Amino acid sequence: MKHFDAIIIGAGQAGVPLAKKLAEAGKKTAIIEKRMVGGTCINDGCTPTKAMIASAKLAHQARNSDELGVETGAIKVNFKKIKARKDAIVRQFRNSAEKGVNSTKGLTLFMGEARFSGKKEITISLNTGGEEVLTADWIFINTGGKTVIPEIEGLNEIEYLTSTSIMELEEIPEHLLVVGGNYIGLEFGQMFSRFGSKVTILEKSASIIAKEDADVSASLTEILEAEKIQVITNAQLLKFSSKKKNEIIAEFKSGKDNEKLKVSHVLVATGRIPQTEVLNLSQCGINVDEKGYIVINNKLETNVKGIFALGDVTPGPAFTHFAYNDYTIVYRNLIEGANYSIKGRPIPYCMFTDPQLGRIGISERDAKAQKLDYKVAVLPMSYVARGIETGETLGLMKAIVDTKSKKILGAAILASEGGEIMSVLQLAMEGGITYDKIRYCVFAHPTYSESLNNLFMKLDD
């Protein structure tokens, strides 16, 4: 049995920087990873998907370049080269993360699967065989999430894809069925459509990105359908069947009718669940909720003193940037004696469809449900000078503001570089800058952010 000051389970976007900083602070630290250093973001999520989305966007722009007076001829997508580029970027990022871990004095990396075998005791089933037993004063759980696999008749009898396995395809699907019309499904659906796949998206709710306001969802639906992506909402999947490879029959109910669809590939994108089942949390008495998420307080500590949970394994927002922020909170609190909390922190995120959807704060739906005294400003991107100049006129900017204080409550930016524009508003919100000041702020011309002037001009004082 080996004793450490700190053990981190999971080498993701919280685990790696936390382990390094704790070791650098003089704490004898162990980090355990069952698969690959870097977690979902580097290996299966942010890094590889955004690399492939960049290729898809360029293919789309090339096909439509004649609108800007550039004639290219036939466009060929070299999918093997796209995958090779993606793989090279992932290796670069992962190797950098591994090098950082292995070169940090006082930090030991164990490759294997961890489980609690006592209150502050971890047993590791090593990938190379055998076991190691570790104890520590502090334990941090950063095991992330995995794809939800819904119970649909015949699903386990076909070779369905997840957000991980779809990026290992060697050829472009002929007809891709995406099950789920939210962030992951929409990014992959548009990407593979631009690579050349026929794409159908099935969503059980009345609209895609169902948590967003109706006008935002409708605008994105229109954009996707203009790219010949079939979007079917209010769809209930009933059954899958297959008699030969790359020929799958999906039976679903849409409205009152039962329908059948023949596709070559199926992507399951119906959400994610925490990876807690193998941790044996009952051994140390850690509380989880009904969905398996680890229950934490505002300092990210579980009900067991000295054991913390960070990132997607907690009930908080499942985004990489929150996992990283979790690391900064626990590190500063434990090592620097600070008193930071996750309570009240902003929730920015971006969906990397094209155009992007950048989101911060509350939606109009939220404001209405909370019975707030609010106003709404909407600016179509077709009115934005920079959008017209670049040929990026799809989508809209939308902001929710408090009528009396004039503070910005939230925004949805469905636009080219929507995530960057949203970040401008996030800083305004965190700095208490009101919309009437932004309305007359001097921005560089011509930029997308400059159009925030025009967005807030639509509001009367």
Side-chain angles (χ1 to χ4, degrees), residues 143-360:
T143 49
K146 63 180 181 180
T147 301
V148 172
I149 306 301
E151 292 185 6
I152 302 172
E153 183 180 349
L155 179 60
N156 290 326
E157 297 171 15
I158 66 171
E159 295 182 12
Y160 64 83
L161 301 165
T162 66
S163 58
T164 298
S165 60
I166 194 171
M167 288 184 291
E168 299 309 313
L169 290 176
E170 297 292 337
E171 295 181 349
I172 299 168
E174 180 182 347
H175 187 172
L176 175 65
L177 172 62
V178 179
V179 182
N182 279 295
Y183 314 114
I184 293 173
L186 297 180
E187 287 185 1
F188 277 113
Q190 187 183 47
M191 177 204 303
F192 276 96
S193 174
R194 291 178 167 189
F195 286 152
S197 298
K198 181 179 180 181
V199 173
T200 300
I201 297 172
L202 289 185
E203 168 56 40
K204 66 179 181 180
S205 300
S207 61
I208 59 172
I209 48 172
K211 292 183 179 180
E212 306 294 342
D213 286 334
D215 52 351
V216 176
S217 173
S219 181
L220 183 56
T221 300
E222 184 179 344
I223 290 166
L224 296 176
E225 290 181 337
E227 294 188 29
K228 295 182 171 56
I229 297 171
Q230 184 181 24
V231 178
I232 303 174
T233 55
N234 290 312
Q236 180 187 356
L237 267 164
L238 303 173
K239 181 181 179 181
F240 287 105
S241 58
S242 178
K243 293 183 178 179
K244 60 181 181 179
K245 186 176 176 63
N246 293 346
E247 186 175 296
I248 301 167
I249 304 298
E251 298 181 36
F252 64 96
K253 187 174 183 179
S254 179
K256 296 181 180 179
D257 300 324
N258 286 8
E259 300 184 40
K260 291 186 178 182
L261 187 67
K262 183 188 291 186
V263 300
S264 62
H265 295 73
V266 174
L267 168 65
V268 177
T270 51
R272 293 174 68 79
I273 54 175
Q275 296 196 88
T276 53
E277 71 279 3
V278 300
L279 289 174
N280 197 24
L281 297 177
S282 61
Q283 183 67 35
C284 59
I286 293 176
N287 291 336
V288 297
D289 66 15
E290 66 280 0
K291 295 182 179 179
Y293 290 102
I294 296 176
V295 178
I296 53 170
N297 63 20
N298 289 332
K299 304 294 177 63
L300 295 156
E301 191 169 23
T302 70
N303 61 298
V304 179
K305 187 173 177 59
I307 300 181
F308 301 80
L310 304 87
D312 295 2
V313 79
T314 73
F319 298 108
T320 290
H321 42 288
F322 284 93
Y324 187 86
N325 186 247
D326 287 349
Y327 130 66
T328 69
I329 288 173
V330 294
Y331 176 81
R332 289 179 291 172
N333 287 348
L334 293 173
I335 301 300
E336 299 176 358
N339 190 33
Y340 290 102
S341 167
I342 62 173
K343 186 177 181 180
R345 63 180 171 181
I347 305 179
Y349 57 89
C350 185
M351 178 174 64
F352 288 86
T353 49
D354 180 25
Q356 298 171 7
L357 174 61
R359 283 280 285 109
I360 181 68

Side-chain angles (χ1 to χ4, degrees), residues 60-121:
H60 179 71
Q61 289 176 322
R63 291 190 191 102
N64 294 279
S65 63
D66 60 330
E67 296 177 7
L68 276 71
V70 178
E71 298 177 0
T72 59
I75 303 301
K76 181 181 178 182
V77 172
N78 187 332
F79 192 64
K80 284 182 169 55
K81 192 170 183 178
I82 290 170
K83 183 178 181 298
R85 174 180 177 270
K86 176 265 294 183
D87 290 342
I89 293 171
V90 169
R91 282 194 301 272
Q92 175 190 343
F93 284 24
R94 182 170 60 237
N95 290 344
S96 176
E98 288 179 355
K99 182 179 179 181
V101 169
N102 290 324
S103 64
T104 300
K105 186 178 179 181
L107 175 58
T108 304
L109 171 64
F110 293 89
M111 296 301 296
E113 188 165 78
R115 67 183 186 276
F116 281 89
S117 47
K119 189 172 183 178
K120 292 285 185 74
E121 180 183 284

Side-chain angles (χ1 to χ4, degrees), residues 8-16 31-34 39 114 140-144:
I8 294 97
I9 307 173
Q13 293 302 293
V16 168
I31 185 166
I32 307 164
E33 174 54 50
K34 69 177 182 180
F140 305 88
I141 304 170
N142 180 223
T143 49

